[in-house]
Amino acid sequence: MTVNSLPPDQTRSSLSRVHYSGGSPGEELFAHGRRGEAARLAALAAALDGSTFRWLERLPMLPHWRCLDIGTGIGTVATWLSRRCPDGRVVATDRDCALLPPAAERDWEALEHDVTTDDFPNRSFDLIHIRWVLSHLRDREAVLARIVRWLAPGGWILIQDLDRFPIASSPDPVYRKVSEAMCDAVEARIGTDTSWARTFPAPLRRAGLVDVDTEAHVAPTGATAMGRFWLGSTDQLRGDLLDQFAVTEPELKHVREQMVNPSYRDFALASVAAWGRRPSPRHA
């Protein structure tokens, strides 16, 4: 489906949904309607938004820019973009918009949209942001190449994705074992590549972008926002960890206790960012 016109607050509820879970009928891993998912995504936003906003501020943003936020989650990045581009337009998409603020409480557009199947017209946006989405997709680089076509000449894209590399160096062997198993479980259940972001910025260069660069942010776990996110993720993966990845109940208990321990600090997933510009004709 190509979205040619985006009336404010219009959604596409008929879009296909990707069912991530192999569990009980109707259950989806990390589904927005699942108990605790809103809190888990809010914790992730609290852990990542500061670095996201710093990276966006490096781009030459103008008040009239047309912006697209893919996989918007609870909409914090879309809200920030709408304040930076008050004379432009911000469209925020997700496969499920149930966790977004009501239309009366936001000044940006929400659209249910599956980035793997649904389209936008070429050259529609001056800025595209996508965080922690592409690594979950099996055809991630093909999807990225299609997204780049939605950029206007001279427009910018900022992608961020998760990477597991900080976990391997954890000095806590139990935390390291459980966290590695969590990454393995997500790879098995969803097809996530938890090491793809370590290849940045090469995917942007292959997509034809210029002025490309990359940087990583690693938020600490413990009694922190990232710790709350990691705790929520552990809860959702609990069955897989116990049944398929040789994690024991005492080991899960240890990790749960450390994620609420004010004196504990470790690292989970890194958020690796890469950004680049679509060449304008005179620079092509």
Side-chain angles (χ1 to χ4, degrees), residues 42-57:
L44 183 63
L48 300 185
D49 278 356
S51 57
T52 295
F53 301 157
R54 288 193 296 273
W55 287 321
L56 286 168
E57 285 174 342

Side-chain angles (χ1 to χ4, degrees), residues 91-133:
V91 178
T93 72
D94 210 303
R95 290 184 304 108
D96 184 348
C97 293
L99 300 181
L100 296 181
E105 297 177 11
R106 51 182 163 82
D107 53 3
W108 40 270
E109 303 168 34
L111 179 71
E112 286 194 355
H113 182 275
D114 187 336
V115 73
T116 66
T117 58
D118 300 318
D119 221 335
F120 286 103
N122 290 349
R123 305 185 176 199
S124 296
F125 299 100
D126 304 295
L127 171 66
I128 297 176
H129 171 259
I130 180 168
R131 184 169 76 184
W132 287 39
V133 172

Side-chain angles (χ1 to χ4, degrees), residues 239-256:
D240 295 63
L241 297 175
L242 294 172
D243 297 341
Q244 302 176 40
F245 293 92
V247 173
T248 67
E249 288 282 9
E251 289 169 335
L252 279 178
K253 182 174 183 290
H254 170 82
V255 171
R256 290 187 59 84

Side-chain angles (χ1 to χ4, degrees), residues 176-284:
R176 184 171 66 247
K177 174 187 175 180
V178 173
S179 296
E180 291 276 18
M182 290 170 64
C183 294
D184 293 341
V186 173
E187 290 187 354
R189 288 279 291 273
I190 303 176
T192 301
D193 186 338
T194 58
S195 298
W196 176 66
R198 190 63 181 84
T199 70
F200 288 2
L204 292 189
R205 292 197 178 104
R206 287 194 289 270
L209 299 173
V210 298
D211 298 334
V212 169
D213 210 341
T214 187
E215 191 170 285
H217 170 70
V218 185
T221 55
T224 65
M226 181 56 78
R228 295 193 301 275
F229 169 78
W230 210 234
L231 184 59
S233 301
T234 304
D235 289 344
Q236 291 208 33
L237 291 165
R238 182 178 181 276
D240 295 63
L241 297 175
L242 294 172
D243 297 341
Q244 302 176 40
F245 293 92
V247 173
T248 67
E249 288 282 9
E251 289 169 335
L252 279 178
K253 182 174 183 290
H254 170 82
V255 171
R256 290 187 59 84
E257 289 174 346
Q258 299 298 43
M259 294 303 97
V260 296
N261 182 352
S263 64
Y264 184 85
R265 287 293 182 271
D266 209 317
F267 296 109
L269 300 169
S271 188
V272 186
W275 55 91
R277 180 177 57 83
R278 183 174 182 176
S280 51
R282 64 181 181 278
H283 295 127

